[in-house]
Amino acid sequence: MTTEQPKPRMQRSRLLRLIVAIVVTIPLVISAIYMWALWDPTKKVDEMPVAIVNSDVGYGEGADRVDAGAGVANNLVESQSLGFKLVDEKAAYEGLRDGDYYFVIQIPEDFSESLANIATVTEAPALISVTFNDYNTLKASSIGGSAMEKIQQAVLKGVATTTVGSLVDGVQSLGDGLRTAADGSTQLADGTTTLREGIENELAPGVSQAAEGSNKLAAGAGTLSQGLYTLQAGTDTLGAGATQIADGIERITGQIPLAQVEALLKQAQAVVPNSSQLATVSELIEGLQALKAGSRQVANELTDPNAQYRGGLNKLVDGGGQLASGANELSVGMGKLDAGVAKLADGARQLDEGAGKLSTGLNAGAEQAPDFGDQDRRTSLAALIATPVGKEYKHVAQAQFMGPGAMVVILIIITMLIPIVVFMSFRGHRFVTDNEAPRSVRDIARRGLAVVGISLVAVWVLAALVWFFMLSPSPNPVSLWQVYLITGAAVVMYVALISVLFTLFGYVVGAITSLAWMMLQLFSYGGIWMYQTVPAPFQWLYWISPMTLVQKGYTASFNGVSGFWPSFISMLVIAAVAAAITFAVVKWQNKRLHGVDAPGSGGETTEILTPTH
């Protein structure tokens, strides 16, 4: 009988082994995650399925209609910068919950209206919402945010603040000009109204009266001219008679020697100074001389064009003719003026109506013309027009800043990491010393159940601490009981799979292999990095990775979508197959080493946690 040698302290203290396991595994996990984080997935984001929902209803009618949402959606799909798919709203958000889409880009109903009215006084751009679900994938939100920056730059390509600033100033000048023109048109309308009233009430009646007067003047001038012609003819007749009278008087007086008679008469008066007869004869002689001179003068006045009367009469006749002619021309002109004033009055009415419409239109336009305010306001608006499309990020469950979306990844990591740590905290059995009793199937089963129990307790304690004290707000899964079942199934599956590795490769290699296997799954399972963006070999791992099943189970549980039962049953089947493999390997090892089944397989047991040295 051999004396049992004292065991090293490492083998005696389970707590010390647990601490060592934690100290070894935690830095490895953190380092691996950090190293995987250095991977740049942006080169393959064009393969990420992303849903586009165009809810824009357009704006305007006919040639003025704006359908900016359709243009943006089509441009995004054609750009192929991401794996864009244009779907309806229901399909998009169902796909986001199912994990079919990494995020949803939604163009709102008023997108075109906001852009069409961007020149009005507004405070916010047209928003495109981007919705992430970190329950499905952590990196989708950060990569999607970076991609959206590039997408927005493509949407806004060619728009510059300076150019739009000039546009704003120009529109402002247009608005100011419209307002000035509106003021001027109001004054014009007032002036044309006054003009119309003046023409209708004063000018037109006056011209009409003047036209009637000119007609009467023409008639009177004609009558006057005809009378003057008649007077001239009568004067000619009268002059002829006066000439005959003067000639007759001169013949009569020519037969009487008036000079001699006058001399004799003066002599007789000298002899008889107071004789009345001589005085009468003297007066008669003077009368004859006066008659002779007067008759000739009258005849000359009536016939000589150089005489005052006859010359004046001739001029009067000529003037009367000219007056008649001028009066006729005046009458004709006044008739034309009267007709022109009528047309002028009609034009004034049309001008007044047009000025009124112009005033109404310009004032309405001035009211609609934008007023961008002062220079600071115009500068702010120019910046808004330069960036007319903004983005709004929404999260079903945000993981960043310790949000509830991080819970799924934490559960996925700890459901595998804790069983590895628990396995490493157990003694190494025959991997530490060569003097080891053979293990039985019952021993392996007991060890598996112990690891499962300890791991479940540790997982739930750690998960509860994170759930209630580290994440804010706390996660709110659709089905909490499904979360419990998926967690339990994941722990059982990982314990069974890790047991296969420890059984096949031993304590040291089994631990390293388990950790390496975990790191590969973290990079390929799709919950942190989108599996479409990782290198091809890791994409193959996605389809065969047990962690992918766990992730799909949690996605179904937290989001309330289908996929829970396939994942749950698949994990239990994998656990059963792994357990069967472990038992088969143990039996094969025992037969190979000893040629018989291990002791205890028929009822005996061997301590597996405290092997003898």
Side-chain angles (χ1 to χ4, degrees), residues 93-94 96-98 133 135-136 396-397 404-405 407-408 411 467 474-486 552-564:
Y93 288 100
E94 285 181 353
L96 182 64
R97 290 192 297 271
D98 289 336
N133 185 358
Y135 281 149
N136 299 338
V396 174
M407 194 67 224
V408 171
L411 285 173
W467 191 296
S474 297
N476 184 28
V478 175
S479 179
L480 186 59
W481 67 268
Q482 289 184 356
V483 174
Y484 281 105
L485 290 180
I486 288 294
K552 290 184 178 298
Y554 279 129
T555 297
S557 303
F558 276 83
N559 295 330
V561 296
S562 61
F564 166 77

Side-chain angles (χ1 to χ4, degrees), residues 8 12 44 124 140 155 163 221-222 237 250 267 314 318 360 365-366 381 408 413 448-449 465 478 513 556 580:
R12 293 197 308 270
K44 304 184 68 176
V155 173
T163 303
T237 302
E250 286 180 354
Q267 290 176 3
N314 289 342
D318 293 338
T360 302
L381 184 57
V408 171
I413 292 175
L449 290 175
L465 291 175
V478 175
T513 305

Side-chain angles (χ1 to χ4, degrees), residues 26 50 94 107 115 151 184-185 225 231 249 286 310 416 451 464 507 511 533 571 605:
I26 296 299
V50 176
E94 285 181 353
I107 302 172
L115 290 180
I151 291 171
S185 69
S225 176
L231 175 61
I249 292 173
E286 290 177 358
R310 182 66 188 200
M416 184 172 185
V451 173
Y507 181 84
T533 66
M571 284 188 281
T605 60

Side-chain angles (χ1 to χ4, degrees), residues 73 150 366:
K150 296 180 181 179

Side-chain angles (χ1 to χ4, degrees), residues 353-366:
E353 292 175 359
K357 293 180 180 179
L358 176 63
S359 176
T360 302
L362 284 176
N363 279 287

Side-chain angles (χ1 to χ4, degrees), residues 324-348:
S325 176
N328 286 328
E329 293 179 357
L330 176 62
S331 177
V332 173
M334 289 302 296
K336 294 180 179 179
L337 178 61
D338 189 26
V341 168
K343 294 181 179 179
L344 178 62
D346 185 57

Side-chain angles (χ1 to χ4, degrees), residues 98-127:
D98 289 336
D100 296 333
Y101 301 117
Y102 285 111
F103 54 92
V104 175
I105 298 175
Q106 183 166 11
I107 302 172
E109 292 184 359
D110 60 349
F111 187 73
S112 292
E113 182 178 359
S114 298
L115 290 180
N117 297 321
I118 198 70
T120 59
V121 178
T122 182
E123 299 294 336
L127 291 178

Side-chain angles (χ1 to χ4, degrees), residues 174-187:
L174 172 62
D176 294 340
L178 280 174
R179 283 182 281 274
T180 303
D183 294 339
S185 69
T186 301
Q187 297 177 357

